[in-house]
Amino acid sequence: MTVSRRLGAALLSVVALAVLGGSMLVAHDPAEQFADFSYAPPMPLHLFDTDGHWRGPFFYPLRLASRLEHRFEEDRGRPVPLRWSGRSAGGATGETGPWLPLGADALGRDVYARVVLGARLSLGVALAGAVAALLLGAAVGAIAGFNGGHLDELLMGAASFVLVLPAIYVVIVLRAAMPLVLSTSRVFWTIAAVLAIAGWPLPARGVRAVIARERGREYAEAAKALGAVPSRILLRHLLPATREHLLVQLTLLLPAFILSEATLSFVGFGFAEPAPSWGVMLQEAAQAGALGDAPWLLAPAVAIVVSVLSLHLLAGGAGPAASIRDTSP
């Protein structure tokens, strides 16, 4: 494994940990609002007090020094030990106030909790869309490559037509054509379906090329001579040869779909408040003056960059053998 792939795998492991263990890694509910903590700055952990004595992980609670300026000051006289137990971290509630490792947004909500738990929406919908696109593309490509002839030309013509369209505009138009007011779960599956419709041509063309090449090999001819039905030849002997190509396509589709979800939610066609998707959170960060008062609102953008970068590093290190050229046999 190359260095880039190791780095990509390490970054992806961090992202996967946030998705799988999200509820155990945050101190507050992402919708919980804390009065008087609007645009509160990040509250870092400390190990040594002001006298240089070791105290273990702790934080200093914040007090509002100026409501007009959204200016906060650390209360250095009241260090709060961190006692972690999921959504009840020590000092998260009560007299000391909340612990906000990445600060708070305009409503006083924990930005860290929203970024971590929002990963389930942003990455989940991208993964669902990518898997659906691979399944649809594999089915279309297998049918085209195995049968050939006019059916092959018709299906690949449809794939080429979708490919020449600007992908992000196709996604936006497809989503805009559907009802805008939907529940969070319906928005999730609607976006996944839209991404799958826009993303199936590339895996379809690669699968078609592999199937068209492999169907003339000796093992496929031998299976046919032994009386295997076409469906068995296709499913048992030919489709397994496309596995590597589909894995590479997965690492290519996921970054594009992560960015697509963020774009849809940012322009108002995806998730909406109070759903903590990364695109929804970037809406607030784009408001005039928001970044000047609270640059930590860009945390979801950092999460997007880390997720996309990790997948690109994995895909870039796959090597030339993993790529499939769309050529006819």
Side-chain angles (χ1 to χ4, degrees):
M1 183 180 289
T2 63
V3 175
S4 63
R5 294 194 72 184
R6 289 195 186 96
L7 178 59
L11 292 176
L12 193 59
S13 298
V14 173
V15 175
L17 177 63
V19 174
L20 298 176
S23 59
M24 300 176 61
L25 299 174
V26 300
H28 311 109
D29 187 280
E32 186 176 3
Q33 301 179 18
F34 296 97
D36 297 328
F37 280 86
S38 173
Y39 291 137
M43 302 167 64
L45 288 177
H46 302 271
L47 297 177
F48 300 90
D49 60 19
T50 54
D51 297 326
H53 298 145
W54 169 268
R55 299 183 62 98
F58 69 94
F59 64 92
Y60 292 112
L62 295 177
R63 60 170 178 260
L64 184 61
S66 173
R67 187 180 301 274
L68 181 62
E69 299 176 358
H70 295 293
R71 182 165 55 84
F72 292 83
E73 295 179 352
E74 288 185 334
D75 188 351
R76 294 273 175 165
R78 293 193 301 166
V80 180
L82 184 68
R83 299 184 182 91
W84 193 265
S85 58
R87 293 192 186 179
S88 59
T93 57
E95 296 180 358
T96 60
W99 176 52
L100 306 169
L102 290 181
D105 62 10
L107 299 178
R109 297 175 297 188
D110 185 354
V111 171
Y112 170 74
R114 291 177 64 78
V115 169
V116 172
L117 295 179
R120 294 181 176 179
L121 287 178
S122 298
L123 300 182
V125 72
L127 180 60
V131 170
L134 290 180
L135 292 176
L136 179 59
V140 172
I143 294 172
F146 190 75
N147 291 279
H150 294 297
L151 182 59
D152 181 14
E153 295 179 359
L154 177 63
L155 294 176
M156 290 302 98
S160 298
F161 174 76
V162 176
L163 282 175
V164 299
L165 299 175
I168 189 61
Y169 295 110
V170 172
V171 171
I172 292 177
V173 169
L174 288 174
R175 176 63 185 96
M178 301 178 183
L180 295 181
V181 181
L182 297 170
S183 64
T184 300
S185 61
R186 290 188 176 182
V187 170
F188 183 98
W189 294 113
T190 298
I191 295 179
V194 168
L195 294 176
I197 293 173
W200 67 268
L202 280 176
R205 295 179 67 174
V207 168
R208 179 260 174 201
V210 174
I211 297 295
R213 182 187 64 201
E214 295 293 317
R215 69 180 182 182
R217 296 288 177 87
E218 293 181 356
Y219 70 90
E221 294 293 339
K224 182 178 180 180
L226 291 174
V229 296
S231 60
R232 179 179 176 82
I233 297 174
L234 181 60
L235 296 176
R236 185 71 179 273
H237 300 284
L238 299 182
L239 273 178
T242 68
R243 186 182 300 118
E244 187 177 3
H245 168 70
L246 291 176
L247 288 175
V248 172
Q249 285 297 314
L250 179 63
T251 61
L252 295 176
L253 287 175
L254 274 174
F257 287 179
I258 292 172
L259 295 174
S260 296
E261 181 281 321
T263 302
L264 285 173
S265 297
F266 183 80
V267 300
F269 289 135
F271 296 103
E273 287 281 5
S277 87
W278 293 342
V280 170
M281 296 180 67
L282 287 176
Q283 284 183 330
E284 182 179 2
Q287 294 177 5
L291 287 181
D293 295 330
W296 50 88
L297 293 181
L298 281 177
V302 176
I304 292 174
V305 170
V306 171
S307 301
V308 171
L309 177 62
S310 65
L311 291 165
H312 275 305
L313 289 175
L314 282 176
S323 62
I324 301 295
R325 293 184 180 180
D326 184 17
T327 56
S328 301

